[in-house]
Amino acid sequence: DTGVSQNPRHKITKRGQNVTFRCDPISEHNRLYWYRQTLGQGPEFLTYFQNEAQLEKSRLLSDRFSAERPKGSFSTLEIQRTEQGDSAMYLCASSFSTVSTEAFFGQGTRLTVV
Amino acid sequence: GESVGLHLPTLSVQEGDNSIINCAYSNSASDYFIWYKQESGKGPQFIIDIRSNMDKRQGQRVTVLLNKTVKHLSLQIAATQPGDSAVYFCAENMEGGTSYGKLTFGQGTILTVHP
């Protein structure tokens, strides 16, 4: 499978714990995006990278959230001291930084904070 | 518990009918508009996009119409099939600068196709 891969697919954690998600983009894509999607809503932009540089962060990305893409390939999204409001689907997408708008999404990681 | 579709508009059609899904957008400066399809438990899948200097674009069984005067976008699906059942989202992309590729999604519409 050469699409965008996200792990784990599901994560249940207790409130206050830290969690980390991984995204492996399509190999030749230099842009990588993180989105969050809650039930009944469309995905909301969190942050994106071009190669290893984090170019933009949404105001939705509180200080408890940190994303990295150390070698310009895979990316991790960490949430520290999770809260129940963090429960959502976390989606990763990748694309080329060209005139194409087609971003390919992964299957997402479903986070449940109990 | 809350279901995915609790607050989303819904459209039910018979197999073989044409479907029209509508979307209102807010940012008149958006340069690209994209339709995504999302099946249960999966990430959004790109369907078709249209640039702001166009008013119509056709793909395979799908047509997107853009009316910038009233900030309205529609997706037409011809000969709808059960496999088209999903949630459909419109999204805006503002081209240029460092915000290129960042998408703002609309609320979504649930399409159900009955055999």
Side-chain angles (χ1 to χ4, degrees):
Chain A
D1 186 354
T2 57
V4 178
S5 176
Q6 291 189 247
N7 288 288
R9 291 292 311 278
H10 303 275
K11 178 71 177 179
I12 300 174
T13 190
K14 291 184 179 180
R15 188 174 51 186
Q17 297 295 305
N18 300 342
V19 294
T20 300
F21 311 139
R22 176 175 170 130
C23 171
D24 288 273
I26 294 172
S27 59
E28 60 268 29
H29 285 179
N30 60 348
R31 290 214 172 186
L32 185 147
Y33 311 86
W34 284 101
Y35 287 82
R36 180 173 68 187
Q37 186 175 26
T38 53
L39 288 176
Q41 301 295 319
E44 297 174 295
F45 171 80
L46 292 178
T47 187
Y48 87 97
F49 294 83
Q50 177 157 318
N51 301 313
E52 65 276 7
Q54 189 172 17
L55 296 187
E56 187 169 344
K57 294 191 289 185
S58 161
R59 285 175 293 179
L60 293 175
L61 212 65
S62 76
D63 291 344
R64 297 184 297 105
F65 288 69
S66 62
E68 294 183 343
R69 195 184 184 197
K71 298 181 180 179
S73 57
F74 74 91
S75 176
T76 58
L77 177 67
E78 181 183 17
I79 308 175
Q80 296 181 327
R81 305 180 302 282
T82 52
E83 302 172 356
Q84 285 188 321
D86 296 331
S87 295
M89 174 77 84
Y90 289 85
L91 292 162
C92 175
S94 69
S95 73
F96 286 113
S97 59
T98 64
V99 296
S100 169
T101 59
E102 186 167 355
F104 294 84
F105 281 82
Q107 303 271 47
T109 294
R110 167 75 66 189
L111 173 66
T112 302
V113 181
V114 297
Chain B
E2 184 178 16
S3 67
V4 173
L6 189 60
H7 303 293
L8 297 180
T10 59
L11 174 65
S12 292
V13 300
Q14 291 297 126
E15 181 177 1
D17 287 351
N18 297 330
S19 303
I20 300 176
I21 300 171
N22 297 302
C23 175
Y25 65 91
S26 56
N27 191 344
S28 57
S30 294
D31 275 325
Y32 277 103
F33 301 89
I34 309 107
W35 281 100
Y36 278 91
K37 171 186 179 183
Q38 187 172 25
E39 296 173 285
S40 181
K42 297 185 178 181
Q45 178 186 357
F46 176 93
I47 302 173
I48 190 169
D49 63 1
I50 187 169
R51 197 158 188 173
S52 60
N53 61 356
M54 303 170 66
D55 53 20
K56 181 179 181 179
R57 190 173 184 206
Q58 289 184 295
Q60 186 177 14
R61 280 202 308 120
V62 294
T63 301
V64 55
L65 299 177
L66 176 62
N67 185 330
K68 293 182 289 294
T69 303
V70 295
K71 296 182 184 176
H72 184 267
L73 192 68
S74 70
L75 177 70
Q76 300 177 1
I77 305 174
T80 317
Q81 302 167 2
D84 295 327
S85 295
V87 180
Y88 288 80
F89 292 97
C90 64
E92 307 171 50
N93 178 68
M94 181 182 291
E95 187 175 349
T98 58
S99 295
Y100 183 84
K102 183 182 76 173
L103 302 175
T104 301
F105 282 81
Q107 185 184 30
T109 297
I110 299 174
L111 174 65
T112 303
V113 183
H114 301 282

